[in-house]
Amino acid sequence: MALSPSHLLSLTVASAEWRRDAACRDTDPDLFFPVGTTGPAIEQIETAKAVCRECSAQALCLEYAIDTNQDSGIWGGTSEEERRQLRKQYAARQRRTA
């Protein structure tokens, strides 16, 4: 998923737009960056995803996270592993259409 400089610029500009409307803007950022994936982190992940589910910017947040390869935290209602799977699926589709 190589990004051109103009695409990165548009993401930077667009990021200000969707972030202004994001439900998480007034939430402690630590909620979206749990330590681990077991024990107390499971509840923290679910709480963060619940904030995302109520957010009008969820799809744009997820797009940003995938486009900029965010590999930590909860973005757009997805975990790190879920985004890895989405990237793999995207790469597989690109190979099939190439």
Side-chain angles (χ1 to χ4, degrees), residues 52 57-59 61-62 65 74-78 83:
C52 295
Q58 181 179 1
C61 177
L62 177 56
I74 305 299
W75 290 82
T78 62
R83 285 192 307 284

Side-chain angles (χ1 to χ4, degrees), residues 17-84:
E17 298 299 317
W18 66 263
R19 287 179 186 210
R20 192 171 46 233
D21 297 328
C24 62
R25 73 186 176 284
D26 296 323
T27 306
D28 181 355
D30 288 343
L31 175 66
F32 299 91
F33 295 93
V35 176
T37 57
T38 61
I42 294 172
E43 184 175 332
Q44 184 177 348
I45 291 166
E46 286 309 311
T47 302
K49 287 181 174 185
V51 172
C52 295
R53 283 191 295 272
E54 300 298 319
C55 183
S56 63
Q58 181 179 1
L60 293 171
C61 177
L62 177 56
E63 181 180 341
Y64 175 83
I66 290 173
D67 285 349
T68 59
N69 203 28
Q70 298 296 320
D71 60 357
S72 298
I74 305 299
W75 290 82
T78 62
S79 67
E80 299 156 6
E81 181 58 33
E82 290 165 334
R83 285 192 307 284
R84 274 192 283 281

Side-chain angles (χ1 to χ4, degrees), residues 1-15 64 67-68:
M1 245 185 270
L3 299 174
S4 68
S6 62
H7 189 193
L8 285 174
L9 178 60
S10 70
L11 282 172
T12 303
V13 171
S15 71
Y64 175 83
D67 285 349
T68 59

